[in-house]
Amino acid sequence: MGFLIKKKYIIYKYDLSNINLKQAPITEALTEQKYNNDLLLRFLIRCIENSSFYSERLQVEGVFKDVPISWGNGIVTKDVFREQYSNFAQSSGHKYIENDNIITKKIKDWIPDLNNNIKPMINGIQTPSYKFPSIQKCKESINKELGHEWNWN
């Protein structure tokens, strides 16, 4: 009987109208869970932290190394992005990645300002590409979507 009285006391004493039981509280643990469960988010964060979408294997001083290619104007072809994302996925133990439409949708979920309708001329051919906003804008978008400040390197 005492438990029911305490329960009613708590219910009547505290204003619970602004509590949404369907939404988890935004904490660092929730942010880490989102990060760990979303392979594309991990890839995007890695790209942003490295200021580079991809690397090229180049010979530097007689040794082959993966040399990051600068973020530059934020344009990366969809084929190159998909290839780099696929390599990242495989190195993380994933066999498959999503199709291009789902990848684009998921990127836009994290970075709404992404322009996915550009086709710059590359070697005389219009090439479907992504144009990402600035690195700072990408960081702000991801922080907003996470609901928590990411600890950027």
Side-chain angles (χ1 to χ4, degrees):
M1 187 74 159
F3 173 74
L4 289 176
I5 292 171
K6 286 182 182 179
K7 186 176 172 184
K8 284 182 179 179
Y9 174 77
I10 290 171
I11 290 173
Y12 290 117
K13 179 170 174 28
Y14 297 103
D15 177 19
L16 304 176
S17 62
N18 62 350
I19 296 176
N20 181 356
L21 297 176
K22 294 180 181 177
Q23 181 178 3
I26 298 170
T27 62
E28 250 182 90
L30 180 62
T31 302
E32 287 294 325
Q33 185 179 12
K34 287 180 182 180
Y35 175 82
N36 290 329
N37 290 334
D38 192 325
L39 183 65
L40 182 63
L41 174 61
R42 292 198 314 260
F43 179 68
L44 289 171
I45 287 175
R46 190 202 69 176
C47 290
I48 292 166
E49 288 183 337
N50 291 337
S51 302
S52 172
F53 293 108
Y54 60 97
S55 303
E56 284 190 11
R57 197 162 230 6
L58 301 174
Q59 189 170 2
V60 179
E61 298 173 2
V63 178
F64 282 97
K65 295 182 179 180
D66 287 330
V67 178
I69 304 302
S70 170
W71 189 273
N73 59 6
I75 295 176
V76 60
T77 67
K78 290 182 179 183
D79 288 342
V80 167
F81 187 90
R82 181 177 181 73
E83 178 186 339
Q84 294 300 310
Y85 177 43
S86 179
N87 292 342
F88 178 80
Q90 287 176 0
S91 69
S92 300
H94 296 265
K95 291 183 180 180
Y96 307 103
I97 61 172
E98 304 88 342
N99 69 39
D100 290 337
N101 292 335
I102 293 174
I103 290 172
T104 300
K105 182 193 174 311
K106 287 177 75 174
I107 296 170
K108 287 185 80 74
D109 286 346
W110 290 111
I111 305 172
D113 292 338
L114 174 80
N115 182 347
N116 62 309
N117 293 318
I118 66 166
K119 293 183 179 176
M121 295 294 281
I122 299 176
N123 297 328
I125 301 170
Q126 284 190 323
T127 309
S129 301
Y130 296 119
K131 176 150 183 21
F132 285 80
S134 69
I135 292 173
Q136 185 58 38
K137 185 85 168 157
C138 288
K139 288 179 180 180
E140 290 168 5
S141 294
I142 288 175
N143 286 339
K144 181 179 176 189
E145 295 303 318
L146 282 173
H148 197 273
E149 186 78 21
W150 181 256
N151 184 18
W152 297 98
N153 289 341

